[in-house]
Amino acid sequence: MSIKVSALLNPFSSERKEFEVAPGQSIAEILKKIDSFHAVNSGWRVLIGGTVITDFSTVPADGEHVYIKLVPEGDNQEVGGGMKVGGGMLVVLGIIIAAAASWTGVGAGIGAALIGSGIGMLTGGTVLYNYQIPSLNDREKPEQDPSIRGSRNQMRPLGYIPVLFGRRRIYADLATSSYTWVDPADGSQYLYQLFCAGQKDQLIDKDTIKIDETLLKEYSASGSIEQVLAGTDKLLQMKIAYGEDTPPLVKKCVHEIQLNSLLKNKTDEGQDGSVVRTTPAGTTEINADIFFYSGLGKYNDKGNVEGTSVTLGAWYKQADEDDSAYKPLGFFAAGSNTIYGNELKTKRYAIHKTGLTADRWTVKISRLSGDSTDSKIVDAVYVGSIRAIKNEAPVSKEKCRRLTLIGLKIKASEKLNNIVEQLNFVSMAKLPMYTGNGSGVGAWEMRLTDNPASAALYVLRGDFSQQKLDKNEIDWPSFEKMYTWCASHGYGCNEYVAESMPVSSLLSAIASTCRADIFKSNGKMTVVQDIARDGFVQLFTPRNSHGYAETLVMADIPDSLALQFVDKDAGFA
């Protein structure tokens, strides 16, 4: 018998030298035959049976396969020296192989070849470090596909529906829980999200839609926001629904149980390693996915990846039934639950079961193949998520008709993966705008505007008004005058109200943007503004000004004021 040795001795070539050495020699002794200058644990990488060897006194067993790689170390000057030393090593190795009796199965041809490599090393100038010899750590590296898990937009289950006045940048709230989805057809992973931007009476500027500070179109495959909104982009789809009957893209309630749990045949305690989960009541569909994060395959003795397989099982039953009632859930692969693979790249598989009676269901996923202990086999499988789908919309038709909802579907890719940053955009409200044609309710139309008078009327008569006033309860001429003055002087009200406020406080905040006061007088809501008047308010004469006195206060007026504000010229940042 003998010990097989595979050596990468020329950093300028991927050629691997194969030879044999007589058994009973330590790694250090083998290296001494290669390196007559020094045999220390520096500059060499040694692998035996998938294990990196750092103790060079180790004696390989008879019949084992040893992998050796030359890696000179040090700074630039030391690397240059290492090159010369490495070249010398190879010259000596060539001589030893040609003459030494302890080496078997090699001839003078290999010796001559190694002498040539040594000469090439002596004349070289750079050492290549990146050629890998086979090992679970240093062989062919597993290639992990990107995955996606959620976003940073918040969800406020007990919050109020925001109301937009004027034009503002909006960081929209989630209207329902986000969820991932694995397509059984090709294993692609998607993130589904549904956002609420507020009332239906608004218009989102599509060219301002961003994820964090990057325009959404930059994450798309097409680079076009039009294709994203049309649903034709390969990576991103978005649909905006202004007061429609159903929510966009997210059509059903999905409860996702995220696991990302290693699936074993047996636990460390010797128990059944199956993953078992029960869905909420009302479940009519089940979607479950598994994935091989590092791929599926095994290394042969030469370090190349070959095929291997893993057999799984998936079952379901009604939650209150005995375990004997388990039925097959479906197949992860085409017509089979035995999954074959021969590449180290993330693979995802899914089962989608439909047509269930609305109920609670228990899902069981098992690894039927034994747990692998061979370090050359890569077959670790994980249960990703188990999803329960209800046959009902996440937002009722009545609410959809009053809201602006945004559906977003993202394919996991190198551009977008892991946790997605906050979706945001600039939107402008549609409010009652005074046309100037006459007076009264007929002179106002719903248009894009930020006029404070329009905002006040929307509070009093809009769809979100808790006590919508009748047209006869409004002093229309006062609001029309307020609108005209604000329009001519450039006053606007731009605010996104996401918290509960009394109507009186909200009207006061709107009125403060144009030095006005809105209150009820003689049974009607009216407006008074602090503005310059065209006529005299009071005429002073000697007759009515007897004893008049005035005090002047010489205030110390500051040179400047430092205030924080939302700058619309900077994208409402």
Side-chain angles (χ1 to χ4, degrees), residues 191-394:
L191 174 67
Y192 283 83
Q193 295 180 289
L194 183 65
F195 301 91
C196 176
Q199 78 273 26
K200 67 175 182 180
D201 301 313
Q202 60 177 292
L203 181 64
I204 295 173
D205 184 350
K206 60 180 174 49
D207 294 322
T208 66
I209 302 174
K210 298 180 179 180
I211 291 181
D212 197 19
E213 292 300 319
T214 304
L215 290 174
L216 182 65
K217 67 179 183 179
E218 301 299 335
Y219 294 106
S220 67
S222 62
S224 167
I225 190 63
E226 285 77 15
Q227 290 196 34
V228 172
L229 293 172
T232 58
D233 189 84
K234 295 181 179 179
L235 297 180
L236 287 173
Q237 292 183 35
M238 174 180 279
K239 183 178 179 182
I240 305 173
Y242 300 101
E244 297 183 7
D245 287 345
T246 59
L249 296 182
V250 181
K251 300 298 184 182
K252 296 182 179 181
C253 293
V254 178
H255 176 79
E256 180 176 14
I257 306 171
Q258 287 194 346
L259 298 169
N260 296 324
S261 176
L262 179 63
L263 184 63
K264 294 185 175 182
N265 179 270
K266 297 292 183 182
T267 65
D268 294 339
E269 295 77 21
Q271 303 298 316
D272 181 16
S274 300
V275 170
V276 181
R277 292 294 186 274
T278 299
T279 69
T283 300
T284 58
E285 300 176 39
I286 296 172
N287 178 279
D289 74 271
I290 56 97
F291 63 94
F292 296 85
Y293 183 66
S294 297
L296 180 60
K298 65 179 180 180
Y299 294 104
N300 59 23
D301 289 341
K302 293 186 178 181
N304 299 318
V305 178
E306 296 180 344
T308 190
S309 63
V310 173
T311 301
L312 307 175
W315 302 271
Y316 74 106
K317 68 180 182 67
Q318 289 182 303
D320 55 355
E321 291 182 321
D322 294 333
D323 288 353
S324 59
Y326 273 119
K327 300 181 286 288
L329 183 65
F331 300 108
F332 287 108
S336 173
N337 277 325
T338 297
I339 301 174
Y340 176 85
N342 59 357
E343 61 177 341
L344 303 187
K345 182 179 180 181
T346 301
K347 294 291 185 181
R348 293 186 177 88
Y349 302 87
I351 295 174
H352 187 195
K353 184 70 174 180
T354 61
L356 301 178
T357 303
D359 202 348
R360 296 170 61 245
W361 296 89
T362 297
V363 179
K364 178 180 179 180
I365 301 175
S366 303
R367 177 180 177 129
L368 302 182
S369 299
D371 297 316
S372 207
T373 57
D374 189 343
S375 61
K376 294 182 180 179
I377 297 177
V378 181
D379 66 352
V381 58
Y382 297 79
V383 178
S385 294
I386 296 174
R387 304 167 187 86
I389 301 96
K390 291 184 179 181
N391 192 25
E392 58 184 56

Side-chain angles (χ1 to χ4, degrees), residues 145-150 179-183 185-193 211 216 219-221 228 233-238 249 345 348 408-418 420:
D145 278 358
S147 62
I148 197 163
R149 294 189 290 126
Y179 64 91
T180 63
W181 188 270
V182 176
D183 188 348
D186 60 6
S188 297
Q189 187 188 36
Y190 298 89
L191 174 67
Y192 283 83
Q193 295 180 289
I211 291 181
L216 182 65
Y219 294 106
S220 67
V228 172
D233 189 84
K234 295 181 179 179
L235 297 180
L236 287 173
Q237 292 183 35
M238 174 180 279
L249 296 182
K345 182 179 180 181
R348 293 186 177 88
L408 181 62
K409 178 182 177 183
I410 303 173
K411 183 177 182 179
S413 65
E414 293 182 359
K415 289 188 174 185
L416 274 176
N417 56 75
N418 202 8
V420 180

